[in-house]
Amino acid sequence: EEDGAGGVGGGAPLPRNLSWSEVVQRRTLHEKLLSPDRHRLSHAEMERKQREKQELAMQNRLLLEAQRQCRLKDAEQHRRERLEKVSRRREEFQVSMDEKLRRATALHEEQLAKRQHKCARETAKVMGIKQEVAFIQELTAEGQRGELQARLELAETRRQELRETRTMTRSDLK
């Protein structure tokens, strides 16, 4: 059958003064109105579609929950790794500080030992010098005593001689 518009069949005759775009638009509207989506679904089909939607929604929720759990697990793993790294760094720092402290203590002890050794050498040197000074003083004192003794003996000898000469002169005078 041919209608008055030039053969776009399937319905009431179209007026002759319609443009091609209007014809296509009416045809499209007509097809939309007659499409199976516009028909009412039976109760069973509506329940089936509703179940499918619910199942799809449930799958999407489960998928989202699984993704969220995965992200949480990754975040927790990352946090643990960071904590372990910080802990390792602290431990390495503590070991480093302990080593530095041990070296510093050893160096301090070594320096103290050197000072003590030097002090002992200086003390021994001073004691040696003191002994030398005491020895020199003793020798000097002995020398002075000997000199004094010699002078004393000389003076005693002179006095004795003077006495003898006086006694002789007195005995000669008598």
Side-chain angles (χ1 to χ4, degrees):
E1 299 175 325
E2 231 181 70
D3 58 6
V8 245
L14 296 174
R16 290 205 178 264
N17 57 356
L18 288 179
S19 69
W20 178 249
S21 62
E22 290 173 340
V23 170
V24 171
Q25 186 178 11
R26 280 194 178 184
R27 177 69 180 191
T28 308
L29 181 61
H30 180 68
E31 287 173 358
K32 283 182 184 176
L33 291 174
L34 292 179
S35 75
D37 293 337
R38 293 278 299 164
H39 295 294
R40 287 200 157 231
L41 299 176
S42 68
H43 185 65
E45 285 179 358
M46 283 179 31
E47 283 182 359
R48 182 185 56 80
K49 278 193 171 191
Q50 190 62 32
R51 270 195 313 270
E52 286 175 0
K53 283 183 182 179
Q54 291 297 326
E55 287 174 7
L56 183 62
M58 179 60 78
Q59 288 174 357
N60 287 337
R61 280 193 297 271
L62 291 175
L63 179 64
L64 288 174
E65 182 63 24
Q67 289 173 347
R68 188 179 72 84
Q69 289 297 328
C70 186
R71 281 194 310 270
L72 288 174
K73 184 179 173 184
D74 288 346
E76 180 63 23
Q77 180 66 26
H78 182 68
R79 187 186 67 81
R80 268 194 236 116
E81 288 172 359
R82 264 195 345 253
L83 286 175
E84 288 174 6
K85 187 176 182 181
V86 166
S87 177
R88 263 194 320 273
R89 282 187 181 169
R90 267 194 200 134
E91 195 173 306
E92 289 170 358
F93 179 75
Q94 187 63 41
V95 166
S96 170
M97 286 292 111
D98 289 345
E99 180 61 24
K100 283 182 181 179
L101 184 61
R102 186 192 62 74
R103 282 192 312 240
T105 303
L107 184 62
H108 180 69
E109 294 295 326
E110 183 181 323
Q111 287 175 346
L112 283 178
K114 283 181 182 178
R115 285 182 189 167
Q116 287 174 344
H117 185 66
K118 184 178 178 182
C119 286
R121 279 195 327 250
E122 294 294 322
T123 302
K125 193 186 292 184
V126 167
M127 293 305 286
I129 292 173
K130 280 185 179 180
Q131 288 173 350
E132 285 180 26
V133 168
F135 180 71
I136 291 171
Q137 286 174 348
E138 187 180 326
L139 286 179
T140 305
E142 282 180 22
Q144 287 175 351
R145 267 187 260 134
E147 215 176 280
L148 284 176
Q149 188 66 30
R151 283 174 64 194
L152 184 61
E153 286 174 3
L154 184 61
E156 193 60 41
T157 309
R158 272 195 222 151
R159 204 169 65 186
Q160 192 65 24
E161 286 175 3
L162 276 176
R163 268 191 208 152
E164 285 175 9
T165 47
R166 272 191 206 157
T167 4
M168 282 185 80
T169 46
R170 276 193 197 158
S171 29
D172 283 345
L173 281 178
K174 289 187 182 179

